[in-house]
């Protein structure tokens, strides 16, 4: 059975968004991507900076501090789907794009990327969750299991004639826990693959038996290979987040160093006077710029 796959991630900070975009645009090391195939990737917006700016332009001035700024959609299909590399692949991604536009409004889609430099092609979209009232409202789109299930069903219907179906509704499958995830990361190299060859049947030809052995081996190792690939992708994302966080910290540290030096050894009242003087000087400089 070949499945249509749709996953979402909630991005709550510009740092989260920047890290995801760096991965999508391959501006940082991406372990699971083949650099020789990266030129085949397609982006609806030329640069990650432009996508980030498009997101900022759609965000309302008034919003909750913990609001979801952007929904990251990942849309793909089973690796075994026969449509990959054919016209059906282009049709699949075209319908996925139109489905997103219909669901969110074209103006709220900041950018879309199609990755063809990985083992299974995928579409990644960055959507600002603006509801019909013009408010930032991720819950309106992703709130609750019922809405998520309906969304999976709706998308699967749009590509059903391409030989894809929805995953089992109400499945008991769950995401790996944080503890299990880091255990898998730390023990990724411990994966071992052992197979048991089937017994030959009487009067079975060597060619037929060879085909049966091959099928049996593939069936036995496939879960392990998929698990290893999943861990590699998660490791790459974790590495991206770490690099972005470290860069942000270094930049912030350099910016505040002069201020920390200025208030060193001062009491709270004196620090308040320094802050007030800084605000006055900041307003004066801004006024001078406006005049010029």
């Amino acid at each position: 059975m070949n499945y249509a796959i749709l996953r979402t991630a909630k991005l709550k900070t510009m740092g989260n968004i920047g890290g995801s975009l760096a991965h999508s645009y391959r501006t940082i090391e991406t372990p699971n991507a083949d650099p020789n195939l990266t030129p085949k990737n397609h982006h609806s917006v030329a640069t990650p900076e432009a996508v980030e700016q498009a997101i900022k332009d759609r965000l309302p001035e008034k919003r909750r501090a913990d609001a979801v700024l952007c929904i990251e959609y990942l849309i793909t299909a089973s690796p075994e789907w026969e449509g990959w590399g054919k016209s059906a692949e282009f049709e699949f991604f075209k319908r996925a794009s139109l489905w997103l536009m219909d669901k969110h409004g074209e103006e709220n889609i900041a950018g879309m990327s199609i990755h063809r430099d990985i083992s299974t092609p995928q579409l990644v979209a960055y959507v600002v969750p603006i509801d019909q009232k013009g408010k930032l409202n991720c819950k309106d789109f992703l709130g609750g299991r019922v809405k998520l299930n309906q969304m999976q069903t709706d998308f699967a219907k749009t590509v059903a004639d391409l030989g894809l179906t929805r995953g089992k509704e109400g499945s008991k499958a769950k995401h790996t826990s944080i503890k299990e995830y880091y255990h898998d990361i730390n023990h990724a190299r411990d994966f071992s693959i052992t197979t048991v060859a089937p017994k030959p049947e009487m009067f079975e030809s060597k060619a037929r038996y060879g085909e049966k052995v091959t099928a049996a081996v593939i069936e036995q190792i496939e879960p392990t290979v998929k698990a290893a690939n999943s861990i590699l992708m998660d490791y790459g994302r974790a590495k991206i987040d770490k690099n972005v966080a470290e860069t942000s910290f270094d930049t912030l540290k350099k910016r505040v160093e002069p201020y920390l030096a200025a208030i060193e050894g001062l009491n709270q009242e004196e620090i308040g006077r320094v802050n007030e003087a800084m605000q006055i000087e900041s307003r004066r400089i801004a006024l001078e710029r406006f005049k010029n």
Side-chain angles (χ1 to χ4, degrees), residues 2-277:
N2 294 318
Y3 298 105
I5 299 169
L6 187 151
R7 297 170 183 163
T8 61
K10 300 174 183 179
L11 306 180
K12 293 188 174 183
T13 69
M14 295 310 297
N16 295 150
I17 293 169
S20 178
L21 286 168
H23 177 77
S24 279
Y25 280 77
R26 310 305 194 226
T27 57
I28 58 174
E29 182 183 0
T30 309
N32 62 312
D34 182 348
N36 295 318
L37 297 177
T38 297
K40 293 186 176 182
N41 292 349
H42 172 75
H43 306 286
S44 66
V45 178
T47 66
E49 293 80 10
V51 177
E52 193 168 337
Q53 187 59 52
I55 292 172
K56 291 178 180 178
D57 291 343
R58 290 298 298 161
L59 291 174
E61 290 185 9
K62 295 183 178 180
R63 57 180 184 270
R64 290 174 50 179
D66 62 345
V68 174
L69 306 182
C70 178
I71 299 174
E72 177 189 348
Y73 281 89
L74 187 152
I75 298 177
T76 184
S78 298
E80 303 83 6
W81 182 46
E82 295 181 354
W84 296 127
K86 303 176 183 178
S87 59
E89 176 186 319
F90 291 90
E91 182 64 23
F92 173 74
F93 286 134
K94 177 183 177 182
R95 294 189 193 181
S97 302
L98 293 174
W99 181 83
L100 285 169
M101 293 178 189
D102 183 63
K103 183 176 181 64
H104 287 279
E106 186 175 357
E107 69 279 5
N108 293 318
I109 299 177
M112 290 187 284
S113 298
I114 296 176
H115 299 142
R116 293 190 171 95
D117 58 355
I118 52 180
S119 57
T120 304
Q122 64 183 24
L123 181 148
V124 175
Y126 297 90
V127 180
V128 182
I130 302 293
D131 64 17
Q132 294 182 348
K133 296 180 180 180
K135 295 183 178 181
L136 195 62
N137 188 1
C138 179
K139 187 176 181 180
D140 187 53
F141 299 97
L142 305 184
R145 181 177 294 275
V146 174
K147 284 191 176 181
L148 289 172
N149 282 338
Q150 186 59 49
M151 182 177 68
Q152 296 277 356
T153 300
D154 289 344
F155 175 68
K157 287 180 180 178
T158 67
V159 294
D161 63 315
L162 298 178
L164 296 167
T165 187
R166 187 201 191 287
K168 185 178 180 181
E169 197 164 352
S171 172
K172 298 297 183 180
K174 60 181 181 179
H175 292 294
T176 303
S177 69
I178 297 295
K179 183 178 180 180
E180 291 170 333
Y181 163 73
Y182 280 109
H183 177 274
D184 287 345
I185 290 292
N186 293 330
H187 296 81
R189 67 179 60 193
D190 295 341
F191 274 120
S192 61
I193 296 176
T194 58
T195 60
V196 178
K199 295 181 179 180
E201 297 178 7
M202 189 176 295
F203 305 120
E204 187 174 31
S205 68
K206 290 183 178 180
R208 174 57 185 159
Y209 179 64
E211 291 175 358
K212 189 162 68 174
V213 169
T214 300
V217 170
I218 290 175
E219 183 179 359
Q220 292 173 53
I221 70 172
E222 187 177 35
T224 301
V225 173
K226 285 185 176 180
N229 284 336
S230 176
I231 288 173
L232 182 60
M233 292 178 69
D234 287 343
Y235 173 76
R237 179 60 61 85
K239 189 174 181 181
I240 290 167
D241 292 342
K242 175 177 178 291
N243 291 339
V244 171
E246 289 177 347
T247 301
S248 299
F249 174 76
D250 290 340
T251 301
L252 180 61
K253 183 179 178 182
K254 290 179 181 178
R255 289 179 179 177
V256 302
E257 278 178 352
Y259 174 76
L260 295 177
I263 65 172
E264 186 176 1
L266 303 182
N267 59 37
Q268 287 299 117
E269 182 181 351
E270 291 167 336
I271 291 174
R273 288 164 55 189
V274 170
N275 291 341
E276 184 178 356

